[in-house]
Amino acid sequence: MKWLGSFLLLVSGYLLSRRMAEPGMRHVELLEEGEYLFRLLESEIRNAKIPLPELFAEISRRTGSCWKDFFADLSEEMREGGDFTFSDEFERLLTHHLAENLTDEEQYLFLRAGRNLLSDDLVFHKDTSEQLSREIEEHVSVMKKQLDSQRKVYQALCLSMSALIVIFLI
């Protein structure tokens, strides 16, 4: 019975370490999804020539994360029209929907990508979008490395504490 209890304590330590690393993993997934959605948007704008409100609504339907509400509201604002500039409304909605989930640096990267969406100069648009995509990918890569080392620390700490408890109980 002691061996079973010891095994369960070690497994619970491992599962606790995974649970502690979950917020960081979700953050990286959100960044990767955002980068993918902006690349998709840029491609659709260049190739399909779909009106932006419909394109934003379509992107909103393709995702289930907090990007969904952001693109849905952006689509709705553009359909309603009114007196606003795209970049100001884009920034307002991005801040409203994603301020809790993204750092200031990450928000700035996506703001730059959003401001670039309406560029008429296709060469500039393509070069800038590729540069921004690279910057976001680099940021995600750094975040993944940090998350990996953080996950290893959590795992070592939780398993060590579990092993210490097992030693005291046996």
Side-chain angles (χ1 to χ4, degrees):
M1 195 54 113
K2 285 184 181 182
W3 289 107
L4 178 61
S6 299
F7 175 73
L8 290 176
L9 276 171
L10 291 173
V11 168
S12 66
Y14 173 75
L15 293 176
L16 178 62
S17 71
R18 300 231 354 141
R19 181 74 171 171
M20 291 172 70
E22 263 182 31
M25 291 187 309
R26 281 194 303 263
H27 184 80
V28 168
E29 289 170 358
L30 181 70
L31 291 174
E32 288 176 327
E33 181 180 22
E35 193 268 333
Y36 167 75
L37 292 174
F38 275 88
R39 276 191 295 127
L40 184 65
L41 267 173
E42 292 165 275
S43 173
E44 292 290 330
I45 287 171
R46 275 186 300 197
N47 300 326
K49 307 294 185 199
I50 299 172
L52 285 179
E54 285 81 17
L55 182 57
F56 292 144
E58 176 61 29
I59 295 292
S60 174
R61 284 189 288 275
R62 290 185 183 188
T63 183
S65 68
C66 56
W67 290 107
K68 179 182 186 75
D69 295 333
F70 166 72
F71 283 114
D73 286 353
L74 191 57
S75 172
E76 188 63 34
E77 288 293 326
M78 290 188 77
R79 285 183 184 169
E80 289 176 3
D83 191 24
F84 69 87
T85 60
F86 178 78
S87 61
D88 291 342
E89 192 62 21
F90 188 90
E91 181 175 358
R92 183 186 73 78
L93 290 173
L94 185 74
T95 304
H96 174 72
H97 288 288
L98 297 160
E100 294 176 4
N101 300 317
L102 300 177
T103 66
D104 290 341
E105 177 187 1
E106 293 161 353
Q107 286 182 44
Y108 178 70
L109 286 173
F110 286 111
L111 282 174
R112 284 181 46 211
R115 290 180 182 140
N116 184 46
L117 289 175
L118 296 182
S119 173
D120 291 333
D121 184 354
L122 293 179
V123 173
F124 171 78
H125 180 78
K126 184 177 182 208
D127 292 343
T128 306
S129 66
E130 287 173 357
Q131 177 189 0
L132 289 170
S133 185
R134 273 193 311 275
E135 288 177 16
I136 293 170
E137 285 175 0
E138 288 171 9
H139 183 74
V140 168
S141 175
V142 168
M143 291 289 296
K144 281 183 176 181
K145 288 178 185 174
Q146 289 175 347
L147 179 62
D148 190 43
S149 64
Q150 187 179 42
R151 188 173 45 223
K152 288 176 183 176
V153 169
Y154 287 151
Q155 194 171 28
L157 285 173
C158 291
L159 286 174
S160 297
M161 292 304 294
S162 297
L164 189 61
I165 292 170
V166 166
I167 290 170
F168 283 132
L169 293 177
I170 291 184

Short mmCIF file of all heavy atoms in Angstrom, two decimals, residues 23-53:
data_model
loop_
_atom_site.label_atom_id
_atom_site.label_comp_id
_atom_site.label_asym_id
_atom_site.label_seq_id
_atom_site.Cartn_x
_atom_site.Cartn_y
_atom_site.Cartn_z
N PRO A 23 -0.59 28.12 -18.00
CA PRO A 23 -0.82 29.50 -18.47
C PRO A 23 0.21 29.95 -19.50
O PRO A 23 -0.15 30.62 -20.47
CB PRO A 23 -0.71 30.34 -17.18
CG PRO A 23 -1.03 29.39 -16.08
CD PRO A 23 -0.51 28.06 -16.53
N GLY A 24 1.45 29.59 -19.32
CA GLY A 24 2.47 29.96 -20.29
C GLY A 24 2.24 29.28 -21.63
O GLY A 24 2.44 29.89 -22.69
N MET A 25 1.82 28.03 -21.60
CA MET A 25 1.54 27.31 -22.85
C MET A 25 0.36 27.94 -23.58
O MET A 25 0.39 28.09 -24.80
CB MET A 25 1.29 25.83 -22.56
CG MET A 25 2.53 25.10 -22.11
SD MET A 25 2.39 23.30 -21.94
CE MET A 25 0.94 23.06 -20.96
N ARG A 26 -0.68 28.33 -22.83
CA ARG A 26 -1.83 28.98 -23.46
C ARG A 26 -1.44 30.32 -24.07
O ARG A 26 -1.93 30.70 -25.13
CB ARG A 26 -2.96 29.16 -22.45
CG ARG A 26 -3.75 27.90 -22.21
CD ARG A 26 -5.04 28.19 -21.49
NE ARG A 26 -4.84 28.88 -20.23
CZ ARG A 26 -4.80 28.30 -19.04
NH1 ARG A 26 -4.95 27.01 -18.95
NH2 ARG A 26 -4.63 29.01 -17.96
N HIS A 27 -0.54 31.04 -23.40
CA HIS A 27 -0.08 32.33 -23.92
C HIS A 27 0.65 32.15 -25.25
O HIS A 27 0.41 32.89 -26.20
CB HIS A 27 0.83 33.00 -22.88
CG HIS A 27 1.28 34.36 -23.27
ND1 HIS A 27 0.48 35.48 -23.13
CD2 HIS A 27 2.43 34.80 -23.82
CE1 HIS A 27 1.13 36.54 -23.57
NE2 HIS A 27 2.31 36.15 -24.00
N VAL A 28 1.52 31.18 -25.31
CA VAL A 28 2.26 30.90 -26.55
C VAL A 28 1.29 30.49 -27.66
O VAL A 28 1.42 30.93 -28.81
CB VAL A 28 3.35 29.84 -26.32
CG1 VAL A 28 3.92 29.33 -27.63
CG2 VAL A 28 4.47 30.40 -25.46
N GLU A 29 0.31 29.67 -27.33
CA GLU A 29 -0.69 29.26 -28.33
C GLU A 29 -1.47 30.46 -28.85
O GLU A 29 -1.76 30.55 -30.04
CB GLU A 29 -1.64 28.23 -27.73
CG GLU A 29 -1.01 26.88 -27.50
CD GLU A 29 -1.90 25.94 -26.70
OE1 GLU A 29 -3.01 26.34 -26.27
OE2 GLU A 29 -1.46 24.80 -26.47
N LEU A 30 -1.79 31.41 -27.96
CA LEU A 30 -2.51 32.61 -28.38
C LEU A 30 -1.66 33.45 -29.34
O LEU A 30 -2.16 33.94 -30.34
CB LEU A 30 -2.88 33.44 -27.14
CG LEU A 30 -3.64 34.73 -27.40
CD1 LEU A 30 -5.06 34.41 -27.86
CD2 LEU A 30 -3.67 35.58 -26.15
N LEU A 31 -0.39 33.57 -29.04
CA LEU A 31 0.52 34.31 -29.93
C LEU A 31 0.65 33.62 -31.29
O LEU A 31 0.61 34.28 -32.33
CB LEU A 31 1.90 34.45 -29.29
CG LEU A 31 2.00 35.35 -28.07
CD1 LEU A 31 3.39 35.26 -27.47
CD2 LEU A 31 1.65 36.77 -28.42
N GLU A 32 0.80 32.31 -31.28
CA GLU A 32 0.92 31.57 -32.54
C GLU A 32 -0.35 31.70 -33.37
O GLU A 32 -0.29 31.88 -34.58
CB GLU A 32 1.22 30.09 -32.27
CG GLU A 32 2.62 29.84 -31.78
CD GLU A 32 2.87 28.39 -31.41
OE1 GLU A 32 1.93 27.71 -30.94
OE2 GLU A 32 4.02 27.95 -31.60
N GLU A 33 -1.49 31.63 -32.70
CA GLU A 33 -2.75 31.75 -33.43
C GLU A 33 -2.90 33.17 -34.00
O GLU A 33 -3.33 33.34 -35.14
CB GLU A 33 -3.93 31.44 -32.52
CG GLU A 33 -5.25 31.53 -33.24
CD GLU A 33 -6.43 31.22 -32.35
OE1 GLU A 33 -6.33 31.34 -31.12
OE2 GLU A 33 -7.49 30.87 -32.92
N GLY A 34 -2.53 34.18 -33.23
CA GLY A 34 -2.60 35.55 -33.71
C GLY A 34 -1.72 35.76 -34.93
O GLY A 34 -2.12 36.38 -35.91
N GLU A 35 -0.51 35.23 -34.87
CA GLU A 35 0.41 35.35 -36.00
C GLU A 35 -0.17 34.66 -37.24
O GLU A 35 -0.15 35.19 -38.34
CB GLU A 35 1.78 34.75 -35.63
CG GLU A 35 2.89 35.08 -36.58
CD GLU A 35 3.06 34.06 -37.67
OE1 GLU A 35 2.71 32.89 -37.44
OE2 GLU A 35 3.54 34.41 -38.75
N TYR A 36 -0.74 33.48 -37.04
CA TYR A 36 -1.36 32.74 -38.15
C TYR A 36 -2.54 33.53 -38.73
O TYR A 36 -2.67 33.65 -39.96
CB TYR A 36 -1.83 31.37 -37.66
CG TYR A 36 -2.73 30.68 -38.64
CD1 TYR A 36 -2.23 30.11 -39.80
CD2 TYR A 36 -4.11 30.61 -38.42
CE1 TYR A 36 -3.07 29.50 -40.72
CE2 TYR A 36 -4.95 29.99 -39.32
CZ TYR A 36 -4.43 29.44 -40.47
OH TYR A 36 -5.26 28.84 -41.38
N LEU A 37 -3.40 34.08 -37.88
CA LEU A 37 -4.57 34.82 -38.35
C LEU A 37 -4.17 36.07 -39.13
O LEU A 37 -4.78 36.39 -40.15
CB LEU A 37 -5.48 35.18 -37.18
CG LEU A 37 -6.18 34.01 -36.49
CD1 LEU A 37 -6.93 34.48 -35.27
CD2 LEU A 37 -7.11 33.28 -37.46
N PHE A 38 -3.12 36.75 -38.69
CA PHE A 38 -2.69 37.95 -39.41
C PHE A 38 -2.05 37.59 -40.74
O PHE A 38 -2.23 38.30 -41.73
CB PHE A 38 -1.76 38.81 -38.55
CG PHE A 38 -2.53 39.74 -37.65
CD1 PHE A 38 -2.94 39.33 -36.41
CD2 PHE A 38 -2.86 41.00 -38.08
CE1 PHE A 38 -3.66 40.16 -35.59
CE2 PHE A 38 -3.59 41.85 -37.28
CZ PHE A 38 -3.99 41.43 -36.02
N ARG A 39 -1.33 36.47 -40.79
CA ARG A 39 -0.79 36.04 -42.09
C ARG A 39 -1.93 35.68 -43.02
O ARG A 39 -1.91 35.99 -44.22
CB ARG A 39 0.15 34.84 -41.91
CG ARG A 39 1.56 35.25 -41.55
CD ARG A 39 2.54 34.10 -41.62
NE ARG A 39 2.21 33.09 -40.62
CZ ARG A 39 2.04 31.81 -40.86
NH1 ARG A 39 2.18 31.33 -42.06
NH2 ARG A 39 1.73 30.97 -39.90
N LEU A 40 -2.94 35.01 -42.49
CA LEU A 40 -4.12 34.65 -43.28
C LEU A 40 -4.83 35.90 -43.79
O LEU A 40 -5.22 35.98 -44.96
CB LEU A 40 -5.06 33.80 -42.42
CG LEU A 40 -6.29 33.24 -43.08
CD1 LEU A 40 -5.91 32.24 -44.16
CD2 LEU A 40 -7.17 32.55 -42.03
N LEU A 41 -5.00 36.89 -42.92
CA LEU A 41 -5.63 38.14 -43.31
C LEU A 41 -4.87 38.82 -44.46
O LEU A 41 -5.46 39.24 -45.44
CB LEU A 41 -5.65 39.10 -42.13
CG LEU A 41 -6.88 39.12 -41.25
CD1 LEU A 41 -6.64 39.99 -40.04
CD2 LEU A 41 -8.08 39.58 -42.02
N GLU A 42 -3.57 38.91 -44.30
CA GLU A 42 -2.76 39.57 -45.32
C GLU A 42 -2.84 38.84 -46.65
O GLU A 42 -2.94 39.46 -47.71
CB GLU A 42 -1.32 39.67 -44.84
CG GLU A 42 -1.18 40.63 -43.67
CD GLU A 42 0.15 40.47 -42.96
OE1 GLU A 42 0.26 39.61 -42.09
OE2 GLU A 42 1.05 41.24 -43.31
N SER A 43 -2.85 37.54 -46.60
CA SER A 43 -2.96 36.75 -47.82
C SER A 43 -4.31 36.97 -48.49
O SER A 43 -4.39 37.15 -49.70
CB SER A 43 -2.75 35.27 -47.49
OG SER A 43 -3.02 34.48 -48.61
N GLU A 44 -5.36 36.95 -47.69
CA GLU A 44 -6.71 37.14 -48.24
C GLU A 44 -6.89 38.54 -48.81
O GLU A 44 -7.53 38.72 -49.83
CB GLU A 44 -7.77 36.89 -47.15
CG GLU A 44 -7.87 35.45 -46.70
CD GLU A 44 -8.46 34.54 -47.76
OE1 GLU A 44 -9.28 35.01 -48.57
OE2 GLU A 44 -8.11 33.35 -47.77
N ILE A 45 -6.31 39.54 -48.14
CA ILE A 45 -6.43 40.91 -48.64
C ILE A 45 -5.74 41.05 -49.98
O ILE A 45 -6.26 41.68 -50.91
CB ILE A 45 -5.86 41.91 -47.61
CG1 ILE A 45 -6.80 42.02 -46.42
CG2 ILE A 45 -5.65 43.29 -48.24
CD1 ILE A 45 -6.23 42.80 -45.25
N ARG A 46 -4.56 40.45 -50.11
CA ARG A 46 -3.81 40.56 -51.37
C ARG A 46 -4.44 39.75 -52.48
O ARG A 46 -4.47 40.17 -53.63
CB ARG A 46 -2.38 40.08 -51.18
CG ARG A 46 -1.46 41.13 -50.65
CD ARG A 46 -0.08 40.60 -50.65
NE ARG A 46 -0.12 39.42 -49.76
CZ ARG A 46 0.92 38.85 -49.23
NH1 ARG A 46 2.10 39.26 -49.50
NH2 ARG A 46 0.79 37.82 -48.43
N ASN A 47 -4.94 38.55 -52.19
CA ASN A 47 -5.37 37.63 -53.23
C ASN A 47 -6.87 37.62 -53.49
O ASN A 47 -7.29 37.61 -54.64
CB ASN A 47 -4.90 36.22 -52.90
CG ASN A 47 -3.39 36.14 -52.80
OD1 ASN A 47 -2.69 36.84 -53.51
ND2 ASN A 47 -2.91 35.32 -51.91
N ALA A 48 -7.67 37.58 -52.45
CA ALA A 48 -9.10 37.37 -52.64
C ALA A 48 -9.88 38.66 -52.86
O ALA A 48 -10.96 38.63 -53.42
CB ALA A 48 -9.69 36.63 -51.44
N LYS A 49 -9.36 39.77 -52.39
CA LYS A 49 -10.03 41.07 -52.54
C LYS A 49 -11.43 41.06 -51.92
O LYS A 49 -12.35 41.67 -52.43
CB LYS A 49 -10.11 41.49 -54.01
CG LYS A 49 -8.80 41.47 -54.75
CD LYS A 49 -7.86 42.49 -54.22
CE LYS A 49 -6.59 42.50 -55.08
NZ LYS A 49 -5.48 43.10 -54.45
N ILE A 50 -11.58 40.35 -50.81
CA ILE A 50 -12.85 40.32 -50.07
C ILE A 50 -12.95 41.61 -49.27
O ILE A 50 -11.96 42.06 -48.68
CB ILE A 50 -12.89 39.10 -49.13
CG1 ILE A 50 -12.78 37.81 -49.91
CG2 ILE A 50 -14.14 39.10 -48.26
CD1 ILE A 50 -12.62 36.58 -49.05
N PRO A 51 -14.13 42.23 -49.20
CA PRO A 51 -14.28 43.43 -48.36
C PRO A 51 -13.90 43.13 -46.91
O PRO A 51 -14.18 42.04 -46.39
CB PRO A 51 -15.77 43.76 -48.48
CG PRO A 51 -16.21 43.11 -49.74
CD PRO A 51 -15.36 41.89 -49.91
N LEU A 52 -13.25 44.07 -46.27
CA LEU A 52 -12.71 43.85 -44.93
C LEU A 52 -13.75 43.42 -43.89
O LEU A 52 -13.47 42.51 -43.11
CB LEU A 52 -11.95 45.09 -44.45
CG LEU A 52 -10.59 45.30 -45.08
CD1 LEU A 52 -9.95 46.57 -44.54
CD2 LEU A 52 -9.68 44.12 -44.83
N PRO A 53 -14.94 44.03 -43.84
CA PRO A 53 -15.90 43.57 -42.83
C PRO A 53 -16.23 42.07 -42.96
O PRO A 53 -16.28 41.35 -41.96
CB PRO A 53 -17.14 44.43 -43.07
CG PRO A 53 -16.61 45.66 -43.72
CD PRO A 53 -15.44 45.21 -44.54
#
